Amino acid sequence: MGNCLIFNDVSKKSKALPIETTFKLPSPLPTWPPGEGFGTGTIDVGGLQVCQISSFTKVWGTHEGGPDNLGATFYEPSSIPQGFFMLGCYAQPNNRPLFGWVLAGKDDTDGTTAGSLNKPIDYTLVWSSESLKIKQDGIGYVWLPTPPDGYKALGHLITNSPQKPSLDNFRCVRSDLTDQCQTDTWIWGPAGPDDGFNIFGLRPSNRGTQAMGVSVGTFVAQTQNNPGPVACLKNTNFSKHSCMPNPRQIEALLQTYSPFVYFHPDEAYLPSSVSWFFNNGALLYKKGEESKPVAIESMGTNLPQGGSNDGAYWLDLPADNKAKDRVKKGDLQNSQLVNIHIKPMLGATFTDIAMWIFYPFNGPARAKVEFINIPLGRIGEHVGDWEHVTLRVSNFNGELWSVYLSQHSGGNWVNASDLEFQAGNKVVTYASLHGHAMYAKPGLVLQGNGAIGIRNDTAKSKMFLDTGLSFSLVAAEYLGSAITEPPWLNYFREWGPKISYDVANEIKKVEKLLPGKLKSAFDKFVKSLPNEVLGQEGPTGPKDKRNWNGDEI
């Protein structure tokens, strides 16, 4: 369903807020290939049918507080299908276009057990804006449902009247179909996220490929004395994976959303396929036998399998200097540059398409210290660099909702409404110069504090990777034997040697270029960087990362 905004009493404002624009993907969704449960609009989570509602009726809004001090807007879900009931209201900051969803539920029990849904027995007024001295559209009232025994509330309600909401339109969920949740992003508060009354989004506390917690899309109201006793859903039908996409549907999703990755015009260290890296002279070293490195077979069949990163093995560039320099530059024209891992997330109500890209070499970093740009010598250099982009797609309708962009040892989620698109619904991303961190917009991102940090420069150039034309599906556990994992995926040691340069010496070289008052600040900053950024530690492969089986953050 597309977003539909219905205003009830909107005050006149001199400047339109971003939320007054409804975001839609640039192109309509295609008709997905047939399958069992993916893209059908509803998902059975075990005696409870749920559907995703993204049509809303505005109830109340503020024009101050929250992110960017632009306020927030609160909605009821609208156009709920017959037989389904509201599980909570929706809220969003005003600093971005309207783009969100909540789940609605329908009892699907057979009558032999207690119903999966039940009316609340009362409502408690948690908070009202009546005494709030800010710009707002009327008065807002936040209510917490009181569930009957054996049931839990999954969200709050919002009204613009002091009268209690009707008990007929809202439902609580049987406790065994719920899971523990935690606050997610800050939506709104009159002061700040750590002060007084605040509204937060919700997400399951336990998230991963085997976790059954389901996000409901609702919000929680928190005061210092009221943490808001709400839960999220649990998919007790999770093991069947009936709502996950099949291979043909996965291919269609990739054709629809596969990102373009743009490289900086000065980038010298481009990606390659793993096989190209092996076939062009990469070597396997073993501790204690450093003088006898072994050439690696095309798919890594002679790499040690399983185990852990015990320091006993590592990979390195070819020994020959000419070959080494050539391999460092990568091979953008080679096939299968993107390694795709498909995984169920949020109780299999979403599919994460993790797209892993390998670079044979990570180049040296540059720093910005106040107004001075400084090359950092060998700091930042390392052999083998894995970065990734993850597409999060709704299993209800196949719509793209957010994208995770890896950035060195971390990364962040970006809503689809904040992305750039090309050629329809294909996502545009930017890889930073030498370090390959992924960003949604071109420009400079400074990794650090204040005016001192590592430069992450991105720009659009003629060098780019169309991930939809060069991929290999390497893992999707729920498809079983349909996916054959390449041997290199189960190599859990380092993809590059530990760098043995003297960081202190490298810092001293840089400090010679700095005014005296900046030397100590720069020294402190560099020493705070993780070893992965400093380039001292050899990186490990995708399957050794925490987010392989867990959530991205």
Side-chain angles (χ1 to χ4, degrees):
M1 300 180 187
N3 283 301
C4 175
L5 181 57
I6 304 171
F7 286 104
N8 296 332
D9 182 27
V10 179
S11 61
K12 294 182 179 179
K13 298 176 286 294
S14 58
K15 185 178 180 181
L17 293 167
I19 201 167
E20 293 174 31
T21 300
T22 300
F23 173 79
K24 292 184 179 180
L25 291 170
S27 298
L29 296 183
T31 299
W32 305 113
E36 185 176 354
F38 175 80
T40 60
T42 62
I43 293 176
D44 177 9
V45 297
L48 176 64
Q49 292 283 338
V50 290
C51 66
Q52 197 174 53
I53 306 295
S54 52
S55 299
F56 303 109
T57 300
K58 179 179 175 179
V59 178
W60 177 67
T62 77
H63 302 281
E64 295 179 51
D68 298 330
N69 198 32
L70 291 179
T73 305
F74 296 74
Y75 305 89
E76 277 190 358
S78 63
S79 303
I80 299 176
Q82 186 175 2
F84 285 79
F85 292 91
M86 178 169 56
L87 303 177
C89 288
Y90 177 73
Q92 183 183 303
N94 289 338
N95 66 342
R96 58 183 176 86
L98 177 62
F99 184 60
W101 53 269
V102 292
L103 298 186
K106 178 182 180 181
D107 194 331
D108 198 33
T109 52
D110 57 10
T112 60
T113 59
S116 59
L117 298 176
N118 209 337
K119 293 180 183 181
I121 58 177
D122 198 3
Y123 294 102
T124 300
L125 180 63
V126 174
W127 178 85
S128 95
S129 68
E130 189 170 2
S131 62
L132 204 60
K133 305 300 182 184
I134 65 170
K135 295 178 183 178
Q136 55 180 313
D137 300 331
I139 306 297
Y141 301 85
V142 179
W143 304 87
L144 176 65
T146 303
D149 290 342
Y151 291 80
K152 292 184 179 180
L154 304 189
H156 287 71
L157 277 78
I158 184 80
T159 67
N160 50 25
S161 164
Q163 184 178 353
K164 286 185 178 183
S166 168
L167 298 174
D168 294 329
N169 299 328
F170 187 89
R171 291 293 185 270
C172 301
V173 176
R174 202 174 66 217
S175 296
D176 65 305
L177 293 175
T178 68
D179 209 345
Q180 187 175 359
C181 65
Q182 62 183 209
T183 58
D184 191 6
T185 55
W186 181 48
I187 295 174
W188 182 77
D194 300 316
D195 186 17
F197 176 81
N198 283 284
I199 301 291
F200 292 93
L202 289 168
R203 62 182 181 180
S205 299
N206 184 23
R207 301 178 307 282
T209 58
Q210 301 300 315
M212 297 186 290
V214 174
S215 287
V216 186
T218 54
F219 64 84
V220 62
Q222 288 194 334
T223 64
Q224 292 177 338
N225 298 318
N226 176 23
V230 296
C232 66
L233 274 177
K234 179 191 291 183
N235 185 358
T236 60
N237 201 30
F238 173 78
S239 60
K240 294 183 179 179
H241 290 116
S242 60
C243 52
M244 292 294 292
N246 61 32
R248 287 187 60 203
Q249 291 166 337
I250 291 170
E251 184 177 349
L253 289 169
L254 290 169
Q255 291 174 352
T256 303
Y257 301 123
S258 56
F260 288 89
V261 180
Y262 281 93
F263 302 102
H264 193 279
D266 297 330
E267 183 60 71
Y269 308 108
L270 294 166
S272 80
S273 70
V274 172
S275 292
W276 183 91
F277 179 59
F278 294 162
N279 292 337
N280 282 270
L283 297 170
L284 171 67
Y285 286 80
K286 183 178 181 180
K287 188 174 182 179
E289 300 179 10
E290 288 85 351
S291 62
K292 299 185 292 183
V294 176
I296 306 169
E297 296 179 9
S298 180
M299 294 303 291
T301 51
N302 62 330
L303 292 174
Q305 299 288 287
S308 61
N309 184 21
D310 53 10
Y313 295 89
W314 62 91
L315 309 186
D316 205 348
L317 296 166
D320 177 76
N321 286 332
K322 285 187 178 180
K324 183 180 297 184
D325 290 341
R326 182 172 61 85
V327 171
K328 279 184 178 181
K329 296 177 181 178
D331 182 29
L332 192 56
Q333 305 306 316
N334 197 267
S335 62
Q336 296 186 351
L337 291 168
V338 182
N339 305 281
I340 294 176
H341 176 209
I342 307 294
K343 54 181 182 175
M345 289 300 297
L346 302 176
T349 56
F350 282 81
T351 294
D352 274 11
I353 304 175
M355 312 182 80
W356 291 87
I357 301 171
F358 175 72
Y359 297 80
F361 193 74
N362 193 90
R366 294 189 306 157
K368 187 178 188 326
V369 183
E370 297 288 350
F371 52 87
I372 306 172
N373 294 315
I374 305 171
L376 294 182
R378 298 187 65 191
I379 292 176
E381 288 188 351
H382 58 81
V383 176
D385 185 25
W386 283 100
E387 299 290 348
H388 70 286
V389 178
T390 297
L391 311 175
R392 179 157 287 179
V393 175
S394 167
N395 288 344
F396 291 95
N397 57 8
E399 186 170 3
L400 175 71
W401 283 95
S402 57
V403 171
Y404 182 84
L405 302 173
S406 69
Q407 296 157 1
H408 306 299
S409 56
N412 66 283
W413 283 104
V414 180
N415 290 319
S417 57
D418 295 323
L419 292 168
E420 180 184 342
F421 292 89
Q422 179 179 321
N425 294 334
K426 290 180 177 290
V427 176
V428 174
T429 63
Y430 297 86
S432 66
L433 178 64
H434 289 182
H436 313 132
M438 307 294 289
Y439 295 96
K441 304 293 181 185
L444 168 64
V445 175
L446 201 62
Q447 181 184 358
N449 298 312
I452 301 177
I454 299 292
R455 291 186 65 98
N456 289 277
D457 292 281
T458 60
K460 188 171 286 187
S461 75
K462 294 180 180 179
M463 295 184 293
F464 66 89
L465 170 61
D466 181 350
T467 61
L469 298 179
S470 182
F471 67 85
S472 174
L473 184 58
V474 297
E477 294 88 342
Y478 71 94
L479 292 176
S481 59
I483 302 296
T484 301
E485 294 185 353
W488 60 258
L489 190 61
N490 291 297
Y491 168 73
F492 290 107
R493 274 77 173 191
E494 293 174 345
W495 283 71
K498 285 188 177 182
I499 303 297
S500 58
Y501 63 80
D502 187 338
V503 173
N505 190 46
E506 296 292 322
I507 293 173
K508 287 179 181 178
K509 293 178 185 178
V510 174
E511 287 178 344
K512 291 179 181 179
L513 304 174
L514 295 174
K517 65 178 183 179
L518 296 178
K519 293 182 188 293
S520 60
F522 176 74
D523 179 80
K524 182 179 180 181
F525 161 70
V526 173
K527 289 180 177 177
S528 71
L529 294 172
N531 285 338
E532 183 174 344
V533 176
L534 290 172
Q536 291 183 292
E537 295 288 345
T540 54
K543 210 169 184 180
D544 197 51
K545 310 293 188 187
R546 181 183 59 187
N547 51 21
W548 184 265
N549 291 315
D551 199 359
E552 294 290 353
I553 52 176

